[in-house]
Amino acid sequence: MKKITIEDFKISSQIKIKDLPTSIDLGVNKKSIERELRTVSENLADIQNTMYAHGKYAVLMCIQGMDTAGKDSLIREVFKEFNVRGIVAHSFKKPTELELKHDYLWRHVIALPARGKFGIFNRTHYENVLVTRVHPEYLMYENMPNVNSLDDIDDAFWDKRFNEINNFEKHIADNGTIVFKFFLNISKDEQKNRLLRRLNKPSKNWKFSPDDLDERKCWDDYQTYYEDALNRTSKAHAPWYNIPADDKPTARYVVAKILYDTLKEYKDIKEPELPAKQKANIDLYKAQLENE
């Protein structure tokens, strides 16, 4: 299999989204990729078990991408080897009435993983600088002070919102959350193929919505705003990774590999040691049980 590194995918300088690949060739077949994914996923699960016992770090994995980019299946396949106690996934939909009574980050803050756990945001706080830029009228439901009409949503508004997101991520990173942000980069042609498969396969019909076609008409706008978001918010403490997503098995493997290669470098993540007194009495405890 072709060797890949974290730096192959990390966005560490200003990018043009049209220059980012939506596919890569790992030089092996699908079954080989799936075997490698299983191995990496098992290794990740071992790290997570140690993190759970260690209790000093959390992991936040943010997944963004256009409709049909493969977010749900990626979560299923990458984390299938995990102990369920150590992972929590949140899929953020249209804000509820309660959520709209708070600031836009509130529902994401309360969903953050506790130390020792992996948290997955399937769609994320970035919806607030993506969907709302394509459809700024949605912002009127937030009932914000000083935003009385669409005319109040200007460049300064978006500058402020990006600063808030960067500050939010810096705060959680400084307090023990390891942040990964994955942009599942799918081509427009591949999205068309996947939408057609949903329509042609009865068991997948439920995944299709006419809204998907309306959003597809906004493809160019979304690409513009994704590019802006990636450039403004890929930071050392919370980097974005461009994940070529036209091939699902490859995308899953790349994400798992980035997670594993990053986390294994945290040498301070280790199982806690027993207090000295308990450790010294292990033979005594064993003898008590054996002599029952």
Side-chain angles (χ1 to χ4, degrees), residues 115 139 183 250:
R115 292 190 182 104
L139 289 167
F183 169 48
T250 299

Side-chain angles (χ1 to χ4, degrees), residues 18 30 33 64 83 94 137 169 196 210 234 238 272 277:
K18 64 181 178 60
K30 177 181 177 182
I33 294 172
Q64 282 289 155
N83 188 320
K94 179 181 176 181
E137 64 275 13
E169 292 175 353
L196 285 170
S234 193
K277 184 177 180 180

Side-chain angles (χ1 to χ4, degrees), residues 20 84 93 110 128 170 202 224 232 241 252 279:
L20 298 179
V84 294
K93 307 294 185 182
I110 63 173
N128 297 285
K170 185 66 166 61
T224 295
R232 289 195 192 211
Y241 297 91
R252 296 163 187 165
K279 191 173 182 179

Side-chain angles (χ1 to χ4, degrees), residues 14-280:
Q14 294 291 294
I15 55 90
K16 293 288 186 184
I17 208 166
K18 64 181 178 60
D19 297 330
L20 298 179
T22 62
S23 64
I24 57 168
D25 182 5
L26 295 179
V28 293
N29 60 27
K30 177 181 177 182
K31 287 188 176 180
S32 295
I33 294 172
E34 290 174 342
R35 281 196 299 269
E36 289 294 326
L37 171 59
R38 191 175 305 113
T39 298
V40 177
S41 182
E42 289 170 353
N43 291 336
L44 266 176
D46 288 341
I47 290 177
Q48 196 284 317
N49 282 332
T50 303
M51 283 182 57
Y52 187 84
H54 186 235
K56 293 289 182 72
Y57 291 100
V59 170
L60 176 62
M61 175 176 164
C62 301
I63 307 175
Q64 282 289 155
M66 297 292 287
D67 293 331
T68 78
K71 296 179 286 294
D72 292 335
S73 62
L74 182 145
I75 294 168
R76 182 188 68 234
E77 297 301 323
V78 169
F79 296 102
K80 67 188 336 179
E81 304 296 333
F82 272 50
N83 188 320
V84 294
R85 72 180 181 179
I87 187 167
V88 182
H90 296 273
S91 183
F92 293 101
K93 307 294 185 182
K94 179 181 176 181
T96 65
E97 183 177 352
L98 173 62
E99 289 167 346
L100 287 170
K101 289 185 180 297
H102 295 268
D103 69 273
Y104 69 96
L105 285 174
W106 177 79
R107 64 176 181 161
H108 306 286
V109 171
I110 63 173
L112 287 171
R115 292 190 182 104
K117 292 199 174 188
F118 271 57
I120 303 171
F121 285 2
N122 180 356
R123 297 190 185 275
T124 72
H125 43 293
Y126 283 93
E127 294 287 284
N128 297 285
V129 288
L130 292 167
V131 175
T132 52
R133 291 188 83 181
V134 176
H135 304 287
E137 64 275 13
Y138 293 173
L139 289 167
M140 303 313 297
Y141 293 109
E142 295 185 21
N143 199 27
M144 293 175 286
N146 304 315
V147 179
N148 301 307
S149 72
L150 294 182
D151 292 336
D152 297 320
I153 303 169
D154 54 12
D155 288 345
F157 174 89
W158 296 116
D159 290 342
K160 181 172 180 289
R161 186 156 281 199
F162 275 115
N163 286 335
E164 291 165 348
I165 288 174
N166 281 326
N167 290 335
F168 163 61
E169 292 175 353
K170 185 66 166 61
H171 172 72
I172 63 174
D174 286 346
N175 284 275
T177 298
I178 305 168
V179 182
F180 297 88
K181 299 182 298 194
F182 297 107
F183 169 48
L184 302 189
N185 191 4
I186 186 176
S187 67
K188 192 174 183 180
D189 285 344
E190 179 59 22
Q191 187 196 58
K192 176 182 177 180
N193 293 335
R194 293 182 186 180
L195 288 171
L196 285 170
R197 281 198 292 273
R198 289 182 179 182
L199 291 169
N200 290 328
K201 193 171 183 179
S203 64
K204 299 291 185 182
N205 286 171
W206 66 272
K207 298 184 76 174
F208 178 81
S209 167
D211 291 342
D212 296 337
L213 300 183
D214 292 333
E215 290 297 277
R216 183 171 164 81
K217 294 174 183 176
C218 302
W219 180 276
D220 290 342
D221 288 337
Y222 274 109
Q223 299 302 292
T224 295
Y225 296 134
Y226 264 110
E227 181 177 296
D228 195 32
L230 297 176
N231 283 327
R232 289 195 192 211
T233 62
S234 193
K235 307 294 183 181
H237 59 271
W240 275 104
Y241 297 91
N242 176 70
I243 307 301
D246 280 357
D247 179 71
K248 289 185 177 182
T250 299
R252 296 163 187 165
Y253 170 71
V254 170
V255 166
K257 189 75 163 53
I258 291 170
L259 288 168
Y260 176 65
D261 284 355
T262 301
L263 293 174
K264 71 180 182 180
E265 296 303 316
Y266 281 76
K267 304 302 183 185
D268 58 331
I269 297 177
K270 54 187 177 182
E271 292 179 357
E273 293 188 6
L274 285 173
K277 184 177 180 180
Q278 291 183 23
K279 191 173 182 179

